[in-house]
Amino acid sequence: MSAAALAGRPIDAARRALAERFESAGIDSPELDARLLVGHVLGLDLTGMIASSDRPLTADESMRLDVLAGRRLAGEPVARILGHKEFWGLPLALSPETLVPRPDTETVVELALEMLRESPANKSPSIADLGTGTGAILLALLSELPDATGIGTDISVEALGTATANAVHLGLALRANFIHCDFASALTGPFDLVVSNPPYIRTGDIANLAVEVRAHDPLKALDGGADGLDAYRILIPQAARILRPCGALVVEAGKEQAVQIEGLMTAAGLMPHASPKADLGGIPRAVGARKMP
Ligand SMILES: C[S@@+](CC[C@H](N)C(=O)[O-])C[C@H]1O[C@@H](n2cnc3c(N)ncnc32)[C@H](O)[C@@H]1O
């Protein structure tokens, strides 16, 4: 359906037509994607769209919608088109050098909060987020813990700029610092909590990922080496060095990686948490460990 075909249609009919077009193209969430793109072009949230559902699209609106729909049909994720993504209820800006934060990663935030609660001595916890990207995990934790402070590191200077802008926008900048280094190499600690969602895709699997991921997420955020575990081999011993006694480490794991990650934690002298926390799909996603007292 072209821009000409959308022009003059009521907003709701145009949204439905777009959703059908996305569905026939095999897009996973056609209704949501159509609603977000229409809302973006019109500058309306869901309530505003419902209130204006009968208003016809102007020629300019339909043209802009058609351009964005073309990008989505070519495999660009809606979050990249909009330039932002919600994580833990926080609106986060994206840049080409940042991963789009995933709902699965909220499991890391959940387990980190649980493990902090198990050590109530930490009234104002210090947190390190290794490979922070948009700052998603660190900023989510700081939003939940008003007395916490944290440092996010990344190998990408541009990602650190995006994380800093997100911290400012969310009013968390006074409690968050961002440092350019290789995971924890420039950190001394001690920290009460270290978190990380490192690159963990096997190099050989990257070409088979969905176009939304392989063509739009930065390779630095994906490539975990031949077996996907390269980053864990570096950052787990680093975390053991910078954690204070009884401090917690929580990392995100790829499918079928949790057992090997626990092995790396044990080898670094950490005590794995009772069991990994599963994501909504039942995959063990967040793996925790504690430094011995
Ligand atoms: C999977 S992304 C996770 C981003 C963010 N923490 C999230 O959960 O949305 C991994 C991040 O690690 C960063 N990274 C990759 N190698 C790194 C390294 N050696 N040292 C620090 N950060 C690194 C990437 O630039 C990317 O931002």
Side-chain angles (χ1 to χ4, degrees):
M1 181 169 303
S2 67
L6 288 176
R9 282 202 184 207
I11 289 172
D12 197 51
R15 179 194 59 73
R16 278 187 278 114
L18 202 58
E20 278 166 26
R21 195 166 147 199
F22 287 166
E23 187 164 17
S24 18
I27 288 174
D28 275 351
S29 47
E31 295 287 338
L32 179 64
D33 288 9
R35 175 163 65 72
L36 290 172
L37 292 186
V38 173
H40 181 69
V41 164
L42 301 178
L44 294 174
D45 60 13
L46 181 57
T47 318
M49 275 170 59
I50 292 169
S52 325
S53 60
D54 293 335
R55 168 169 84 68
L57 283 184
T58 65
D60 176 62
E61 287 167 347
S62 56
M63 195 85 77
R64 285 190 289 133
L65 187 55
D66 202 52
V67 170
L68 301 192
R71 287 169 61 182
R72 181 67 195 98
L73 288 164
E76 189 170 348
V78 166
R80 294 267 173 221
I81 298 172
L82 305 185
H84 56 83
K85 172 80 180 174
E86 192 165 297
F87 179 82
W88 200 261
L90 306 175
L92 297 177
L94 306 174
S95 65
E97 282 280 302
T98 58
L99 185 92
V100 176
R102 309 293 207 269
D104 291 343
T105 303
E106 295 186 345
T107 317
V108 172
V109 178
E110 288 167 8
L111 181 58
L113 290 172
E114 278 171 36
M115 290 186 73
L116 276 179
R117 265 183 239 118
E118 286 164 9
S119 300
N122 303 322
K123 288 273 181 281
S124 45
S126 55
I127 303 168
D129 177 12
L130 313 179
T132 196
T134 53
I137 303 175
L138 178 62
L139 297 175
L141 288 166
L142 294 182
S143 76
E144 292 291 331
L145 304 163
D147 296 318
T149 53
I151 296 179
T153 71
D154 209 287
I155 204 77
S156 159
V157 174
E158 191 189 340
L160 291 167
T162 306
T164 304
N166 282 327
V168 170
H169 180 69
L170 294 169
L172 297 169
L174 287 179
R175 295 192 285 127
N177 270 313
F178 294 97
I179 292 181
H180 183 224
C181 70
D182 187 354
F183 295 118
S185 61
L187 306 184
T188 48
F191 292 91
D192 299 294
L193 172 68
V194 176
V195 288
S196 184
N197 171 19
Y200 57 67
I201 310 290
R202 288 185 204 92
T203 307
D205 291 344
I206 290 175
N208 301 324
L209 295 173
V211 62
E212 280 85 349
V213 181
R214 105 178 104 75
H216 295 281
D217 278 322
L219 189 61
K220 275 199 249 320
L222 301 176
D223 192 351
D227 66 356
L229 299 172
D230 282 2
Y232 301 100
R233 291 193 187 92
I234 298 167
L235 74 85
I236 289 174
Q238 287 179 340
R241 171 178 62 78
I242 62 173
L243 278 172
R244 73 167 82 251
C246 296
L249 168 65
V250 180
V251 300
E252 176 160 329
K255 213 171 162 187
E256 292 166 10
Q257 289 178 333
V259 172
Q260 285 157 297
I261 291 170
E262 284 181 335
L264 292 170
M265 289 169 157
T266 306
L270 300 172
M271 195 190 318
H273 191 248
S275 59
K277 191 171 182 70
D279 63 22
L280 291 175
I283 294 170
R285 188 60 76 187
V287 183
R290 225 177 251 292
K291 187 161 172 171
M292 311 284 184

